[in-house]
Structure formats: C-alpha cells, structure tokens
C-alpha cells in the first residue's frame, strides 16, 4: 500500500463527509507540532480547497521532523468551507482578500516566524520525512532555496504506468534544465527557501503564474538553488497542474510548449521577460 493511500480516503470529499475522529486527531497532532520558536514555517495556502485541505492537513499532522516548526494557513478569501477547515484544525491562519498565489504566498511570508519557509499547496500531500530532507539541504551555507519533485496519484483516467512514463520524461527535462536555469525547474508545491533572504525581496503579485520561480530567481544572488531527488521527499498531488485530457495529449502539449524557445535552458539569466498573457490586467 502506498504511503499516501489513507489520505486519499478523504481526498476529494466535502468537509461534512470527513469523520470527526480524523478532524480531532489531526487537530491534536498539529497542536503538538507547533513551536513558539520555529526554525521553519510550514505555510499552507488555500483557495476554495474544501475537498482537499483536510487531507493535506492530516498528512502534515503526521510528519516526522526533528526540527522545531510552526504550521500556519492562508485562506485566499475562499467561498466554500476552506476557512472552516482551518478553524477546525486549530492552526493559526490568515485571510488574504486579494486573489492570486503571489498574494497568498506573500501573506504567509509576512506572518511566518521561521528562518526557513515551506510553500505548501492544499491540494498536495507530503510524505512524513519531506521536511527533514528539505531542511537538511537548506541548512547548507551555500544554499538559498530548494525544490523537490512530485508525482500524481493514479486514478481511473490515469494509469500507474502511464504516470510513471510521463513523470520520468518530465523529471529528466527538469534535471537538464536545472544546470543553467534552475529557477525554471522550481515548482511552488515543492519549494522551500531561506525566509530571511526572501523578506529582502518582493513576491510577484502582478503575474498570473510563476511567482515561485521568480522568487527563486531573486534568491540566486544569496546562494544556489538545490534540487532534491530523494523519493522520500516526493510529494503527491492531484491533476490541477495537468488538464483533464489524456496523459498522451498532455505530454504532446508540453513538448510543444517546452521546445518553443528551447535554447533558453542553456543560458543563465538574472531576470525574466514577462509575457503579456501572464500579466495581471
């Protein structure tokens, strides 16, 4: 049985379908994890994630981390029961009324107390040793931020073997890309960084996507971007970053996107050229 199987038992369910035992046990374990002097802040952002947030928090409540942490939430002014789930979990959470991942990430950074900051997406489930492994890399003096890899859980529309082939090709591309353009290989759902450095920079809130890659680009001046390939640090997520199309169609679409201007991955850059269609109007 996969390590994440039990969390999938409630993934995709409405909050009223989750048992009170899971809710109360999650709350108790989260409270036991909270430190008044955290080394790292684990920040969960959520917008209309009623069907996923409880599963994410359940997994977070069972992490194995030898370092002191705090776990806080950011509700991006959700219209469903997201805020109610945060309330039931007992963790401190904040409401960000301006909508976008950039605003939500920035809100979390402003309220975090740890020297290190973990981006957590509420539709993603994190393995128990994820934070220890990522922090061990972040503690190295020449590292400013780290990013890991992620997998999708198989379902009736996405076979296990199809997903493995898709992820292997994607991971290989990210590996090649990271030598010259590591910031392009960063993904927000598996991103952590030195918060002291990040507080000297600005989270991009004027772009639709890429706020985490932009932050990684800014952090390059403080140290290298490290990548974690340990399977124990591989998160599992749903299909928000994939379309509802078949894996084959998604794969072909990504090939077309990535091969357009492919030479970009061979030249180091210290700034982005913003595409007009990615700017917030």
């Amino acid at each position: 049985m996969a390590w994440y199987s039990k969390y999938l038992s409630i993934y995709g369910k409405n909050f009223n379908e989750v048992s009170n035992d899971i809710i109360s046990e999650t709350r108790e374990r989260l409270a036991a994890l909270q430190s008044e002097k955290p080394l790292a802040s684990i920040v969960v952002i959520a917008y209309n994630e009623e069907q996923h947030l409880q599963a994410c928090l359940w997994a977070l409540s069972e992490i194995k981390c030898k370092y002191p942490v705090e776990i806080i939430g950011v509700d991006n002014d959700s219209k469903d029961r997201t805020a109610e789930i945060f309330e039931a979990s007992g963790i401190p959470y904040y409401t960000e009324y301006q909508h976008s991942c950039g605003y939500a990430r920035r809100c979390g950074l402003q309220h975090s107390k740890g020297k290190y900051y973990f981006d957590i997406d509420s539709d993603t489930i994190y393995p128990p040793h994820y934070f220890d492994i990522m922090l061990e890399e972040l503690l190295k003096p020449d590292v400013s931020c780290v990013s890991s890899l992620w997998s999708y859980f198989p379902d009736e529309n996405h076979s296990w073997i199809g997903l493995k082939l898709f992820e292997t090709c994607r991971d290989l591309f990210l590996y090649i890309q990271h030598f010259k353009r590591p910031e392009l290989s960063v993904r927000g759902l598996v991103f952590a960084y030195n918060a002291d450095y990040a507080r000297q920079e600005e989270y991009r809130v004027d772009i639709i996507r890429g706020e985490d890659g932009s932050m990684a680009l800014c952090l390059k001046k403080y140290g290298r971007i490290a990548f974690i390939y340990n399977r124990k640090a591989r998160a599992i997520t749903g299909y928000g970053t994939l379309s509802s199309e078949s894996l084959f169609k998604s794969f072909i679409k990504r090939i077309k996107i990535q091969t357009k201007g492919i030479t970009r991955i061979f030249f180091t850059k210290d700034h982005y050229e913003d595409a007009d269609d990615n700017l917030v109007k």
Side-chain angles (χ1 to χ4, degrees):
M1 180 181 291
W3 64 267
Y4 53 82
S5 295
K6 70 175 183 178
Y7 308 119
L8 292 185
S9 67
I10 64 169
Y11 192 93
K13 291 186 176 180
N14 293 324
F15 190 43
N16 60 2
E17 298 177 85
V18 180
S19 75
N20 289 329
D21 286 344
I22 291 175
I23 296 169
S24 61
E25 289 170 9
T26 297
R27 182 186 181 99
E28 290 174 9
R29 285 191 294 265
L30 287 171
L33 286 168
Q34 300 284 26
S35 171
E36 288 296 319
K37 296 181 178 180
L39 177 65
S41 298
I42 298 171
V43 184
V44 187
I45 67 166
Y47 175 66
N48 290 345
E49 290 288 359
E50 177 187 348
Q51 294 187 335
H52 306 129
L53 177 57
Q54 185 63 50
C56 174
L57 293 172
W58 185 9
L60 290 179
S61 77
E62 297 186 327
I63 63 172
K64 311 295 182 184
C65 188
K66 61 178 176 282
Y67 301 100
V69 300
E70 66 169 352
I71 301 174
I72 65 176
V74 177
D75 172 27
N76 204 188
D77 192 27
S78 300
K79 307 307 178 187
D80 61 5
R81 300 178 71 180
T82 293
E84 187 178 339
I85 297 171
F86 274 133
E87 191 74 30
S89 75
I91 67 172
Y93 76 97
Y94 307 89
T95 303
E96 172 55 62
Y97 292 99
Q98 298 183 88
H99 292 177
S100 82
C101 287
Y103 282 115
R105 303 278 194 219
R106 187 177 71 177
C107 176
L109 183 60
Q110 290 170 341
H111 289 96
S112 64
K113 295 186 291 186
K115 180 178 179 178
Y116 301 102
Y117 183 103
F118 280 85
D119 278 353
I120 299 296
D121 281 4
S122 49
D123 63 351
T124 302
I125 299 171
Y126 296 83
H129 297 286
Y130 173 85
F131 300 95
D132 261 358
I133 293 169
M134 297 280 275
L135 265 172
E136 291 288 353
E137 195 68 25
L138 268 174
L139 288 169
K140 294 178 180 178
D142 64 333
V143 173
S144 63
C145 53
V146 298
S147 189
S148 185
L149 295 170
W150 69 101
S151 292
Y152 303 97
F153 55 80
D155 62 14
E156 62 276 9
N157 298 317
H158 303 86
S159 69
W160 179 87
I161 191 166
L163 285 170
K164 290 305 174 186
L165 289 171
F166 180 89
E167 290 165 9
T168 298
C169 293
R170 179 207 61 199
D171 294 352
L172 178 61
F173 176 79
L174 293 176
Y175 176 74
I176 294 170
Q177 180 174 251
H178 97 277
F179 286 103
K180 292 293 187 180
R181 299 296 304 278
E183 70 279 359
L184 295 180
S185 293
V186 166
R187 296 296 184 275
L189 75 165
V190 284
F191 184 42
Y193 49 82
N194 186 310
D196 290 343
Y197 298 153
R199 292 184 184 108
Q200 300 177 54
E201 304 298 331
E202 286 289 333
Y203 247 119
R204 294 287 300 274
V205 296
D206 59 333
I207 52 178
I208 299 170
R209 58 193 173 276
E211 76 286 342
D212 295 297
S214 181
M215 175 58 78
L217 183 64
C218 292
L219 295 177
K220 282 172 68 175
K221 68 172 71 77
Y222 303 99
R224 65 185 176 90
I225 302 172
F227 283 86
I228 305 295
Y229 300 100
N230 191 325
R231 297 288 304 184
K232 292 182 178 180
R234 183 181 284 255
I236 187 85
T237 193
Y239 297 94
T241 55
L242 283 178
S243 67
S244 58
E245 300 172 329
S246 68
L247 284 175
F248 178 75
K249 288 184 178 179
S250 295
F251 181 67
I252 296 302
K253 182 180 290 185
R254 277 158 177 72
I255 288 177
K256 291 179 179 178
I257 292 172
Q258 297 298 345
T259 53
K260 185 178 181 181
I262 190 65
T263 55
R264 70 188 181 282
I265 72 172
F266 301 112
F267 300 96
T268 301
K269 286 198 173 185
D270 58 5
H271 68 282
Y272 277 140
E273 291 90 20
D274 293 316
D276 288 340
D277 62 356
N278 194 41
L279 295 173
V280 176
K281 306 301 182 183

